[in-house]
């Protein structure tokens, strides 16, 4: 990290663990008796995905998609590009889409459109973090880990220029 960048922890490892367990219970309850296809948006959601799915006691397949939105720096997105599409056939399946954070909603909306085109029986979304802000895009995630202020956050999978994904907590990154 640049010596002048600083991290301000906002969600502790304990709180994350507790909340992820709660989310897993909610998903189990809502999908009771069903089989799931969990689709994770790479790479920010991998840590969340790994922790969450191991707490969900339901039959499931796991797939990943890759979407490039941010350029890697704390700047506005420069358009969306789907880099890897589904390998699982989700037609007739219950799909739970997982992402690290919803900001403008552009990423989730784009991936949801792709999933819907494959005619799943149901589609729900689960994000680890949701930024408190007005969204022009009308996407409301079905499951939200935590709401956070509209600041740039890192850790627990979220990166800044590829770094900080391995932090076991969530922090606001102050870039100076
Ligand atoms: P959206 O398409 O909703 O604007 O942005 C979603 C994607 O942008 C997330 O999957 C994540 O990769 C990235 N993103 C949005 N806000 C943040 C943030 O505060 N920190 C980091 N590290 N990534 C973010
Ligand atoms: Mg992402």
């Amino acid at each position: 990290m640049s010596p002048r960048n600083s991290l301000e922890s906002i969600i502790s490892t304990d709180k994350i663990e507790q909340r992820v367990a709660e989310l897993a219970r909610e998903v189990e309850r809502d999908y009771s008796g069903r089989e799931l296809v969990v689709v994770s948006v790479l790479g920010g959601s991998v840590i969340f995905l790994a922790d969450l799915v191991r707490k969900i006691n339901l039959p499931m397949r796991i797939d990943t998609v890759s979407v490039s939105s941010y350029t890697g720096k704390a700047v506005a997105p420069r358009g969306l590009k789907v880099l890897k599409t589904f390998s699982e056939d989700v037609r007739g399946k219950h799909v739970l889409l997982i992402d690290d954070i919803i900001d403008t909603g552009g990423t989730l909306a784009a991936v949801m459109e792709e999933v819907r085109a494959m005619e799943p029986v149901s589609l729900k979304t689960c994000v680890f973090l949701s930024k408190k802000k007005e969204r022009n895009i009308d996407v409301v995630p079905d499951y939200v880990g935590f709401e956070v202020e509209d600041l740039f956050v890192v850790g627990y999978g979220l990166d800044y220029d590829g770094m900080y994904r391995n932090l076991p907590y969530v922090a606001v990154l102050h870039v100076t």
Side-chain angles (χ1 to χ4, degrees), residues 41-45 67 69-70 72-74 77 80 99-109 129 131 133 135 137 148-155 157-161 163 165:
V41 183
L42 297 174
S45 68
V67 180
S69 53
Y70 279 60
K73 308 274 181 168
L80 285 173
D99 205 357
D100 52 358
I101 186 166
I102 180 168
D103 183 6
T104 64
T107 304
L108 269 190
L129 303 175
K131 283 201 178 169
K133 68 197 290 184
R135 290 187 236 286
I137 303 166
V148 291
E149 298 300 326
D150 191 11
L151 296 167
F152 195 80
V153 294
V154 295
L158 292 123
D159 75 306
Y160 171 68
D161 201 15
M163 301 296 288
R165 290 197 200 275

Side-chain angles (χ1 to χ4, degrees), residues 54-65:
R54 285 179 295 170
K55 292 194 168 77
I56 298 174
N57 186 19
L58 289 174
M60 68 169 73
R61 291 196 166 82
I62 299 172
D63 202 356
T64 55
V65 287

